[in-house]
C-alpha cells in the first residue's frame, strides 16, 4: 500500500546525545532558504554490507527567510523493506509496531533518545503509494507486460507526462511524471535481479529465481508524491479532514485510501478511449476495415474512427491528441474526444491482448488483495 515515506520529528520530540553517529554534513541553499543536514551514511553502509535494510536518518536545520532556524529529525525509509527485507510484499497497519520498534533500535544505536509515542506522532512529509499485483501465466512475464503497456504513452497533460521507458537499475519500467507526482509501472523481479544493493531476503529471492523456483510475475504500480503540500492535498480529499495539514503514519497506512489513490491514477492512464484506439491500431489494415464494416456503424462513423485509429498507429495516443489540438480549437476538442468515445462504445467489446490485460489490471485494482509472506518468503 505504501512503500517509501519521509517521517519528521520536531526538536521537542527527540534528544541527541553528546556521543552520536551523525558525522557527515550536507548543505543545501536556494532562494530565501538554507538547510544544513547532519547524517550518518557510514552507519547505514555498515548495515548494507551485512545485508540488512537500514533507513536513512538525518538531522536537518532549516532556515526560511528571516525566521529562526528550526531543527528536525528525518527518517526516510521503505516500509516493506523495513518489515520484510524486500518490497516484493505489502504492509498494513498490523506492521506499525514492528516499524516503530525497528526505528527505535536504530535511533538508540545512533545516539538519539525518543519514544514509540513520539514516532507515532511523526509527521509524514511525503509518501509513495504502491501495490504489487501477481500476474497469471497467460498474460506473460512482468517485463513483457510492461513492454505492452508502453503503448499507453499518454496521460492528460494537466496530470502527467510520459518520461521514459528504461531497462536498467530498476529492471523494466514505464514512468510518467510532473512537478508534483510521479507514476511508474515496473517489473519488480527485474529490480531485484538487477545489480546493486540487496538485503539477505532479496539475495535469497534471486537465488531461488536462478534455480527456476520463482517466476517473473510481480508487477508494481507506484504513485510518488514529491512535495508535502501535494501529498497533503491528495490525502485530504480522500479522508475528509478539512484543512488538516499534518498526517501521521497510522492515518495514511490505510487500504481504502491507497486503493482509491492508485485506482484513480490507473484510470487516468488506461482510459477506455486509449484502450480502444490502441487495440484497434494493432489490427492489420484489411482486418480493421472488415471489423468496422461488421460493426453495423454508419459509413461516416467507420471512416472517422478508421482515421483516428491509424493516427494512433502512426503517432501513439499522445501524438493523436496533439493532432487534435493542431486541427481543432477550444471546445471542439473535448467534443471530438467524446465523439470518439461514443463510437468506441457503439463498436462494443474489442478482442485482443490489450483489453484483456487492462481489464485484468483494473480488476486487480478493485480487489486490492494485500500480498504478504505466508510462512516462507516464497509464497507470492
Amino acid at each position: 500500500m505504501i512503500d517509501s515515506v519521509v517521517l519528521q520529528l520536531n526538536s521537542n520530540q527527540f534528544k541527541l546525545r553528546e556521543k552520536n553517529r551523525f558525522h557527515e554534513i550536507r548543505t543545501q541553499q536556494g532562494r530565501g532558504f538554507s538547510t544544513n543536514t547532519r547524517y550518518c551514511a557510514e552507519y547505514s553502509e555498515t548495515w548494507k554490507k551485512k545485508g540488512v535494510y537500514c533507513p536513512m536518518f538525518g538531522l536537518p536545520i532549516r532556515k526560511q527567510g528571516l525566521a529562526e532556524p528550526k531543527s528536525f529529525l528525518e527518517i526516510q525509509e521503505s516500509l516493506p523493506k523495513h518489515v520484510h527485507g524486500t518490497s516484493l510484499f505489502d504492509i498494513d497497519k498490523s506492521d506499525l509496531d514492528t516499524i516503530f520498534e525497528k526505528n527505535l533500535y536504530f535511533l538508540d544505536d545512533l545516539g538519539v533518545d525518543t519514544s514509540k509515542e513520539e514516532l507515532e506522532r511523526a509527521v509524514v512529509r511525503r509518501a509513495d503509494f504502491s501495490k504489487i499485483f501477481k500476474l497469471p501465466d497467460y498474460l506473460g512475464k512482468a517485463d513483457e507486460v510492461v513492454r505492452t503497456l508502453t503503448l499507453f504513452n499518454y496521460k492528460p497533460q494537466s496530470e502527467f507526462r510520459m518520461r521514459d521507458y528504461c531497462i536498467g537499475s530498476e529492471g523494466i519500467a514505464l514512468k510518467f511524471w510532473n512537478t508534483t507526482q510521479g507514476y511508474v509501472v515496473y517489473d519488480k523481479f527485474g529490480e531485484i535481479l538487477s545489480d546493486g544493493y540487496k538485503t539477505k531476503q532479496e539475495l535469497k529471492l534471486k537465488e531461488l529465481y536462478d534455480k527456476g523456483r520463482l517466476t517473473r510475475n510481480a508487477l508494481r504500480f507506484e504513485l510518488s508524491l514529491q512535495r508535502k503540500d501535494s501529498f497533503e492535498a491528495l490525502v485530504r480529499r480522500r479522508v475528509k479532514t478539512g484543512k488538516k495539514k499534518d498526517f501521521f503514519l497510522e492515518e495514511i497506512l490505510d487500504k481504502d485510501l491507497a486503493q482509491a489513490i492508485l485506482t484513480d491514477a490507473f484510470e487516468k492512464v488506461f482510459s477506455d478511449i486509449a484502450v480502444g484506439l490502441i487495440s484497434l491500431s494493432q489490427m492489420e489494415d484489411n482486418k480493421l476495415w472488415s471489423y468496422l464494416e461488421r460493426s453495423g456503424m454508419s459509413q461516416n462513423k467507420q471512416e472517422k474512427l478508421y482515421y483516428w485509429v491509424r493516427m494512433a498507429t502512426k503517432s501513439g495516443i499522445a501524438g493523436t491528441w496533439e493532432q487534435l489540438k493542431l486541427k481543432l480549437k477550444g471546445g471542439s476538442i473535448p467534443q471530438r474526444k467524446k465523439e470518439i468515445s461514443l463510437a468506441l462504445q457503439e463498436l462494443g467489446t474489442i478482442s485482443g491482448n490489450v483489453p484483456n490485460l487492462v481489464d485484468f489490471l483494473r480488476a486487480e485494482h478493485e480487489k486490492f488483495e494485500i500480498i504478504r509472506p505466508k510462512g516462507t518468503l516464497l509464497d507470492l
Side-chain angles (χ1 to χ4, degrees), residues 37-62:
T37 303
R38 294 172 60 186
Y39 60 103
C40 48
E42 187 176 327
Y43 177 81
S44 299
E45 194 62 33
T46 301
W47 285 105
K48 283 184 179 182
K49 290 177 181 178
K50 298 176 181 178
V52 176
Y53 177 76
C54 177
M56 296 175 62
F57 298 93
L59 296 168
I61 300 176
R62 298 192 182 100

Side-chain angles (χ1 to χ4, degrees), residues 67-220:
E68 288 294 316
K70 293 184 178 180
S71 301
F72 305 96
L73 168 65
E74 281 192 352
I75 307 170
Q76 182 176 337
E77 60 185 322
S78 165
L79 299 179
K81 269 197 171 185
H82 207 171
V83 174
H84 302 303
T86 174
S87 53
L88 188 62
F89 301 106
D90 298 316
I91 60 164
D92 57 26
K93 288 187 178 181
S94 67
D95 297 304
L96 280 170
D97 283 345
T98 299
I99 293 167
F100 294 140
E101 286 167 8
K102 287 190 173 186
N103 278 336
L104 280 174
Y105 172 83
F106 284 123
L107 288 169
D108 180 62
D109 201 27
L110 284 165
V112 177
D113 292 326
T114 187
S115 66
K116 178 185 174 185
E117 290 71 28
E118 296 297 355
L119 289 176
E120 289 173 341
R121 296 192 300 113
V123 172
V124 180
R125 287 192 58 83
R126 57 156 291 182
D128 297 343
F129 291 89
S130 64
K131 188 70 186 74
I132 290 279
F133 296 116
K134 182 180 178 180
L135 296 170
D137 292 340
Y138 70 85
L139 286 178
K141 298 177 182 178
D143 54 335
E144 297 166 347
V145 168
V146 174
R147 289 190 182 94
T148 300
L149 295 180
T150 58
L151 295 168
F152 293 83
N153 61 341
Y154 163 74
K155 210 175 196 326
Q157 190 173 3
S158 61
E159 300 289 346
F160 287 87
R161 288 185 293 138
M162 179 177 174
R163 186 173 187 180
D164 58 28
Y165 167 66
C166 65
I167 303 176
S169 61
E170 292 185 354
I172 300 180
L174 174 64
K175 296 182 180 181
F176 301 84
W177 67 285
N178 64 17
T179 56
T180 62
Q181 300 181 16
Y183 186 57
V184 59
V185 185
Y186 65 96
D187 163 24
K188 184 58 191 177
F189 267 112
E191 181 190 47
I192 293 173
L193 297 172
S194 66
D195 293 331
Y197 159 65
K198 295 179 180 62
T199 62
K200 291 177 181 178
Q201 292 86 346
E202 288 169 334
L203 287 171
K204 182 65 175 177
L205 287 167
K206 184 177 185 304
E207 178 187 338
L208 293 167
Y209 178 85
D210 291 340
K211 291 179 178 179
R213 295 178 61 187
L214 292 176
T215 57
R216 202 162 178 166
N217 63 349
L219 190 67
R220 186 182 183 90

Side-chain angles (χ1 to χ4, degrees), residues 266-283:
F266 178 87
E267 294 295 348
K268 287 174 182 174
V269 176
F270 305 103
S271 67
D272 290 339
I273 294 179
V275 171
L277 289 179
I278 287 173
S279 300
L280 292 173
S281 72
Q282 292 186 309
M283 293 184 183

